Amino acid sequence: MMRTKKFLMVLVAIFMGSQVTLFAQEKKGARPERKQLNKEQMQEMQCSQIIKGLALDDATAAKFTPVYKQYMEEMQATRNMGARRNAANRTAADKQTPKPVPTDAEVEQAIKARFVQSRKMLDIREKYYNEFRKFLSPKQIQKMYNLEKHNGDKFRKEMKRRQGMKKQPDGRRRMPQGDVKK
């Protein structure tokens, strides 16, 4: 009787241990790779999120969509002004070496370029405010701006998280230092 009990307990322990190890083993290819969205898909997704967030009816959504897409394209082109200028000035070899300390003239030039960019973005927002105002209330427009900011914050947070989890040469993912659990 005692032997049977011990035998059953050992058998149950082995069975439970084997189940845990089955779940612990990572299957290659078990998690599908995230599909990269192109620019149009991203715009469409963001536009539909704004429409849903504003609870627009079909007629208003039909008016909103082309205007919002054009607004997003102009804003994106303006945001990328500085990025393109910086990328064009750096070669592949430059990206390997640390950035030199900028001179006062370079810093002043960068600040003035940001002023120009900010003014242009403000002009675009003002132009499209008048367009959106034809079919949206000021409260809806404010909510749209808040939704845009929220979506941008989520996007930046996700990008930062992914950059912190880059793959190491051995294929494992490195955990960011702030997220290490003890």
Side-chain angles (χ1 to χ4, degrees), residues 12 54-55 80 145-146 159 167 181-182:
V12 168
L54 295 176
N80 291 341
Y145 291 151
N146 292 343
M159 288 301 292
K167 282 190 177 180
K181 294 183 180 179
K182 293 180 181 178

Side-chain angles (χ1 to χ4, degrees), residues 67-75 125 128 145 148:
V67 176
Y68 186 73
K69 285 183 178 180
Q70 186 63 39
Y71 161 76
M72 282 196 313
E73 285 178 15
E74 286 188 36
M75 289 296 279
R125 287 185 89 156
Y128 281 95
Y145 291 151
E148 280 182 329

Side-chain angles (χ1 to χ4, degrees), residues 74-75 77-79 81 113-127:
E74 286 188 36
M75 289 296 279
T78 304
R79 279 188 202 104
M81 279 177 17
R114 271 187 255 140
F115 288 156
V116 169
Q117 182 182 29
S118 295
R119 274 190 212 100
K120 185 165 181 169
M121 290 177 80
L122 182 61
D123 291 343
I124 292 168
R125 287 185 89 156
E126 196 169 354
K127 169 187 164 186

Side-chain angles (χ1 to χ4, degrees), residues 40-52 54 56-74 128 131-132 135-136 144 148:
E40 290 79 23
Q41 290 170 326
M42 290 286 286
Q43 280 184 341
E44 193 65 42
M45 189 171 70
Q46 185 172 356
C47 189
S48 64
Q49 285 177 342
I50 299 288
I51 289 170
K52 185 179 176 184
L54 295 176
L56 300 179
D57 60 35
D58 291 342
T60 308
K63 293 175 191 172
F64 175 81
T65 301
V67 176
Y68 186 73
K69 285 183 178 180
Q70 186 63 39
Y71 161 76
M72 282 196 313
E73 285 178 15
E74 286 188 36
Y128 281 95
E131 290 295 316
F132 291 132
F135 46 84
L136 296 176
M144 177 190 75
E148 280 182 329

Side-chain angles (χ1 to χ4, degrees), residues 11-12 18 27-28 30 33 36 49 92 95 110 115 137 141 151 164-165 167 172 178 182:
L11 192 60
V12 168
S18 68
K27 296 177 185 175
K28 291 195 179 215
E33 289 293 318
Q36 290 288 347
Q49 285 177 342
K95 292 176 184 174
F115 288 156
S137 72
I141 295 170
N151 286 341
M165 292 184 64
K167 282 190 177 180
R172 294 182 303 149
K182 293 180 181 178

